Amino acid sequence: MFNSYRKAFLYLSNVILRTSTTPKLPIILQSNPSTFSLKYSTSTSDSQSFTVDYLIKKFGFSPETALSATKRVHFDNSKKPDSVITLFKSHGFSNAQISNIIRREPNLLISDPDKTILPKFEFFRSKGASRSDIIQIFTADPSLLARSLEGCFIPFYESLKRFLLSDQCITKTVKYYTHIVGHSHRTTHNVQVLLDNGMPDKKIAFLLSHWPRAVDMQTDVFKKVVDDLKELGMEPSKSIFLVALLAKSSGKTTWERKIDLFKRWGWSEEVIVSTFTKYPWIMLVSEGKLAAVKDYSVTRMGWDSMLLARYPNIFSRSLEKSIIPRHSVLQVLVSRGLIEDDKSFSPFRASEKAFRQRYVNCFKEEAPELLKLYEEKRNLSQ
């Protein structure tokens, strides 16, 4: 049976997940500054020249960046681009925000703002979005302004309404992860995959509102990931399945670096598979924290690295605020023969109240000293 688990896990390790698209940026010409003036004066049309001057004066573009932008847009008068700028300003966008938007989507300067841009603002406003919400959304992803209202925005809202129930919740999700709108068809298809595999509406709602990037994969890749997680024994109806999906949305490179890190600790593929299926959160912990907790656990606490695979939840604890202060208290108790050094995870898993009661307050004579030590170590982290 493990061979089938291993096969599924290896696929998860090798699959390339594209979780977001990078906004199309103007291509910066790597031209020699000394020859730019000559190129600019001899190889551009009048409309290109006007466009370059406009972009430099209005937005502070460098000459190279402005000339590069003319590969995507050019105009011979300022009427239309001025109307675009005016519309943005009338809706509260700052000069810096407008400049950022135009750098990423220069084509907007030749659009009809009342037909291309304004309807998107009005759509979000009709859904209860505030002015600041609208500014945040379109500054984060200006490419949305070039998308169809009927073909993208409206179907997106309708498909999410079943799960997120209110316009306010949908707007919150969009603010958190704007790419979900541009990938609305993909999101819809992937949500259907989850439904077909028995994931309840409530779980899907949580995924969309808290971790929307987890469903931002190519649908064929998403289907394969879902199938392989199920082959590892994970059930789509369980919350742990959501965590595993989120872990896979972090991307192939991040995933592979962590696998290599675990192997350097001496973990076999079997151990890595077992740890992931038991605690997929481990693939969401930063490499820096993984290394720091491992080093402290092995060098200071005397744990074997394999013990970390047995108790992977320790990686969810703060090293400075929890692990070090609690270990310091335990060291004193062990040195005085008050408890055994059983290398248990229990002291680190306990709530703050439970830890103080079990390892500080219950030792009447040592309690003041232990509490002082504990608080000092916690305060150091701040």
Side-chain angles (χ1 to χ4, degrees), residues 88-197:
F88 276 121
K89 287 186 174 181
S90 69
H91 284 79
F93 288 79
S94 68
N95 290 334
Q97 289 165 337
I98 298 172
S99 178
N100 175 57
I101 290 171
I102 299 304
R103 284 176 185 275
R104 295 165 63 182
E105 292 294 327
N107 287 343
L108 291 173
L109 289 176
I110 57 173
S111 67
D112 183 333
D114 291 330
K115 293 181 179 180
T116 302
I117 301 173
L118 184 59
K120 278 84 173 188
F121 292 172
E122 292 178 337
F123 176 81
F124 275 100
R125 190 181 298 114
S126 71
K127 301 301 181 182
S130 66
R131 171 177 282 199
S132 63
D133 291 338
I134 293 171
I135 293 173
Q136 180 179 334
I137 290 168
F138 291 108
T139 300
D141 191 358
S143 68
L144 295 178
L145 291 168
R147 294 189 173 271
S148 166
L149 189 63
E150 293 75 17
C152 178
F153 287 82
I154 295 175
F156 165 77
Y157 259 77
E158 290 177 348
S159 65
L160 262 63
K161 199 67 176 284
R162 165 181 171 179
F163 306 101
L164 299 184
L165 304 180
S166 72
D167 292 335
Q168 183 181 9
C169 289
I170 299 176
T171 299
K172 183 179 178 181
T173 295
V174 173
K175 285 170 57 182
Y176 176 68
Y177 192 73
T178 56
H179 288 300
I180 197 172
V181 181
H183 301 162
S184 58
H185 294 298
R186 187 157 75 189
T187 300
T188 300
H189 291 154
N190 291 347
V191 165
Q192 188 59 51
V193 170
L194 296 176
L195 289 170
D196 293 342
N197 280 276

Side-chain angles (χ1 to χ4, degrees), residues 37-71:
S37 297
L38 178 62
K39 291 182 179 180
Y40 172 66
S41 61
T42 59
S43 63
T44 60
S45 65
D46 289 342
S47 61
Q48 284 178 310
S49 299
F50 183 88
T51 304
V52 169
D53 288 337
Y54 187 91
L55 295 175
I56 292 173
K57 292 177 182 178
K58 286 287 187 179
F59 305 111
F61 282 22
S62 68
E64 291 84 1
T65 302
L67 183 58
S68 179
T70 62
K71 293 180 180 293

Side-chain angles (χ1 to χ4, degrees), residues 85 110 115 145 201 213 271 326 357 374:
I85 294 174
I110 57 173
K115 293 181 179 180
L145 291 168
D201 284 15
R213 73 172 187 178
V271 169
R326 294 189 181 193
Q357 180 59 38
Y374 185 60

Side-chain angles (χ1 to χ4, degrees), residues 13 33 51 95 110 113 118 184 208 224 231 238 285 292 303 322 329 341 350 370:
S13 297
T51 304
N95 290 334
I110 57 173
L118 184 59
S184 58
L208 292 172
K224 185 62 177 172
E231 191 171 338
K238 305 297 184 180
V285 178
W303 284 23
S322 179
V329 170
D341 187 9
L370 293 174

Side-chain angles (χ1 to χ4, degrees), residues 12 17 19 211 213-214 217 225 229 240-252 254-255 258 276 279-285:
L12 289 171
L17 303 180
T19 62
W211 303 329
R213 73 172 187 178
M217 309 178 200
V225 169
L229 289 176
I240 197 171
F241 194 92
L242 307 184
V243 181
L245 275 179
L246 181 63
K248 284 310 303 172
S249 71
S250 61
K252 181 182 177 181
T254 300
W255 179 276
K258 290 176 181 176
F276 173 74
Y279 188 69
W281 278 109
I282 196 170
M283 299 303 286
L284 294 166
V285 178

